[in-house]
Amino acid sequence: MKYRNFGSTGFNVSALGLGCMRLPTQRFRIQKINVPKAVELIRASVDKGINYMDTGLPYHLGESERVLGQALAGGYREKVHLVTKLPMFLVNRESDFDKYLDRQLSKLKTDYLDTYLFHALNRGGFEKLKKFNMIEKMLAAQKAGRIKYIGFSFHDTLPVFREIVDYFSWDVVQIQYNYMDTGAQATTEGLEYAAGKGMAVVIMEPLKGGMLANPPAEALSVLEKSDIKRSPVDWALQYLWNRPEVSVVISGMGNMRMLTENCESADRSGVGILTGDELGTINELIEIYRKNIIVPCTACQYCMPCSYGVNIPQNFAYLNNMASRNAFFHNVPIRWNFRKLVRSTKKLNAEKTNGNAVLCTECGVCVKKCPQFINIPEELKKVNAAAGREKKEVQQS
Ligand code: SF4
Ligand code: SF4
């Protein structure tokens, strides 16, 4: 494993971190953690040299923190930099800070967090942070030894990002960044700005919710022609580690194969190692993806559960897969799987999460929760138009 500076903290962080938003799950139960497999994977990642563990209260319907705490018992806790996040979307008064921190420490079976982040700050979350004196609460928790480093994760635009960065002397920031998102959210300018202030920059969504692991056919042929042989995942990860501003790239690795491959990628990583030709190949991939992505969903699940049972990210994955394959015989199985998503509320399973786009009532509840600002009900109509029984042409938004 390669290690990098964690901003100006003096801590050496592994180039690859484990994101516990996408732990191994039970078959046909998309959010339910397969606990034995998850514990095995978490411990194996520490054994392979990963020392950065990221989780959050809502991940896996609140179970991610509990399972991570279970996996880190028995001597693993001391080997890692443990990170979770204050759920700003649930904070409505000053006392909520201690309420959630107490619960999270208890679930994680620890007395302290190495880093505590304000979760998914945007303009609204930032106003709440100021209104409820959250910085003062963070500093008090730090003084009490319950938190070492203070930071925030971010989902909004560059001007908001700069404003938040300038508001406090943060230790850490977590941003969405990958070769498709250099101009979105915090952007490359924000990445450089935060790193220039000595903050540790943690990268989330390095594969854009898995999208960059499954390139369209046209992109695959570009990779086949390249002299450098790499998997699509390796191309995406090396792009990030090539940048000096990046401290750690967190990846949600759902099985041991992904863990092994990503650790091997991290072993080969380094700042400035990509050649001009390699960066040119990535530029070609960017152009191809731009033509093919219909909905920029990262499968983060923040919009879930939908009260009407729509499996929002799965519906969008089918739409994007159809667009990127762009061939009738490839799209037949995708359309077939789409139609297997439950189309009647009576038939939804216990978790009520495997519903088809047709179940959307356009209530709009999910829209406020989406960090990618996707107009979910409108995009779901496109899914049904493209993959449902009514076949209509889909326009890219
Ligand atoms: S708008 Fe549609 S998908 Fe979103 S929560 Fe309402 S019913 Fe579910
Ligand atoms: S629609 Fe938005 S909130 Fe829902 S999974 Fe996709 S990116 Fe996440």
Side-chain angles (χ1 to χ4, degrees):
M1 178 58 61
K2 293 267 177 75
Y3 295 86
R4 301 168 71 114
N5 288 338
F6 195 61
S8 3
T9 64
F11 169 60
N12 278 327
V13 67
S14 50
L16 180 67
L18 180 66
C20 296
M21 191 172 85
R22 294 185 172 100
L23 290 169
T25 51
Q26 298 174 23
R27 226 169 156 219
F28 305 123
R29 305 178 82 187
I30 55 171
Q31 292 270 47
K32 286 274 176 192
I33 299 174
N34 180 325
V35 177
K37 282 198 171 162
V39 169
E40 185 190 8
L41 185 124
I42 292 164
R43 291 182 176 167
S45 68
V46 180
D47 294 340
K48 284 175 181 289
I50 290 178
N51 66 6
Y52 191 91
M53 297 280 148
D54 171 84
T55 184
L57 185 141
Y59 300 168
H60 290 288
L61 305 174
E63 284 305 296
S64 172
E65 290 176 332
R66 197 180 309 284
V67 172
L68 180 57
Q70 183 181 333
L72 294 180
Y76 280 86
R77 165 68 187 98
E78 294 70 29
K79 296 178 182 174
V80 300
H81 188 103
L82 182 57
V83 185
T84 192
K85 311 177 188 85
L86 177 69
M88 288 305 291
F89 26 88
L90 297 176
V91 168
N92 291 310
R93 55 189 66 81
E94 200 169 318
S95 59
D96 283 344
F97 181 92
D98 291 307
K99 180 174 93 177
Y100 288 113
L101 179 57
D102 289 346
R103 275 188 204 167
Q104 291 172 290
L105 289 173
S106 162
K107 281 163 81 181
L108 286 161
K109 298 188 187 352
T110 187
D111 298 331
Y112 71 98
L113 297 170
D114 294 280
T115 291
Y116 199 34
L117 304 172
F118 292 111
H119 199 169
L121 278 194
N122 55 15
R123 166 63 65 203
F126 184 42
E127 294 309 320
K128 252 194 203 183
L129 174 154
K130 291 187 274 187
K131 181 176 173 190
F132 297 124
N133 302 316
M134 288 289 113
I135 294 287
E136 289 72 11
K137 298 297 289 181
M138 274 279 191
L139 288 169
Q142 190 180 46
K143 199 169 170 201
R146 305 175 87 203
I147 295 166
K148 277 195 190 169
Y149 301 115
I150 299 171
F152 65 96
S153 66
F154 180 79
H155 287 294
D156 209 318
T157 56
L158 178 61
V160 180
F161 184 74
R162 290 181 79 106
E163 202 178 320
I164 298 175
V165 167
D166 290 341
Y167 183 73
F168 179 65
S169 55
W170 308 96
D171 302 302
V172 185
V173 67
Q174 181 172 315
I175 59 169
Q176 173 174 326
Y177 194 75
N178 53 66
Y179 66 68
M180 287 302 300
D181 282 333
T182 54
Q185 306 242 344
T187 75
T188 302
E189 192 181 325
L191 165 74
E192 292 169 349
Y193 188 65
K197 292 211 162 205
M199 296 168 74
V201 182
V202 179
I203 302 298
M204 60 179 156
E205 302 291 3
L207 305 176
K208 207 167 170 57
M211 205 178 284
L212 306 187
N214 296 296
E218 195 184 345
L220 283 175
S221 73
V222 167
L223 295 185
E224 271 161 29
K225 281 184 212 139
S226 168
D227 293 338
I228 308 287
K229 297 302 170 204
R230 292 202 169 102
S231 68
V233 172
D234 193 47
W235 277 103
L237 294 177
Q238 299 302 346
Y239 177 83
L240 298 168
W241 287 316
N242 195 52
R243 296 208 63 117
E245 302 88 356
V246 170
S247 289
V248 51
V249 176
I250 52 176
S251 174
M253 295 169 276
N255 57 49
M256 297 296 264
R257 179 188 55 77
M258 287 183 199
L259 173 65
T260 303
E261 287 175 6
N262 289 358
C263 284
E264 286 169 2
S265 287
D267 287 344
R268 292 190 295 270
S269 70
V271 171
I273 62 167
L274 292 185
T275 64
D277 283 351
E278 288 170 291
L279 292 170
T281 299
I282 291 173
N283 282 335
E284 283 187 68
L285 297 181
I286 292 170
E287 287 312 310
I288 294 165
Y289 268 111
R290 284 210 175 120
K291 282 191 290 179
N292 285 291
I293 290 177
I294 301 225
V295 188
C297 172
T298 63
C300 69
Q301 307 268 352
Y302 287 6
C303 55
M304 296 284 283
C306 154
S307 307
Y308 298 89
V310 181
N311 185 339
I312 299 167
Q314 186 59 65
N315 278 278
F316 290 155
Y318 288 143
L319 184 65
N320 282 330
N321 281 342
M322 284 181 68
S324 65
R325 295 302 176 264
N326 199 24
F328 179 77
F329 69 91
H330 272 128
N331 286 342
V332 168
I334 297 170
R335 199 171 279 129
W336 173 255
N337 283 327
F338 170 75
R339 286 178 186 162
K340 280 203 289 190
L341 288 172
V342 178
R343 300 169 68 85
S344 139
T345 42
K346 281 188 199 145
K347 289 184 184 163
L348 285 171
N349 69 15
E351 282 75 42
K352 295 192 168 189
T353 54
N354 60 341
N356 188 294
V358 289
L359 297 179
C360 176
T361 63
E362 302 184 44
C363 72
V365 170
C366 56
V367 177
K368 290 190 245 48
K369 299 183 194 167
C370 178
Q372 310 302 324
F373 316 114
I374 297 168
N375 186 336
I376 293 170
E378 283 307 309
E379 298 299 327
L380 285 172
K381 285 184 201 165
K382 291 184 187 175
V383 182
N384 201 34
R389 301 211 181 271
E390 260 184 295
K391 191 171 171 298
K392 294 175 193 160
E393 197 176 334
V394 176
Q395 297 296 320
Q396 190 163 353
S397 54

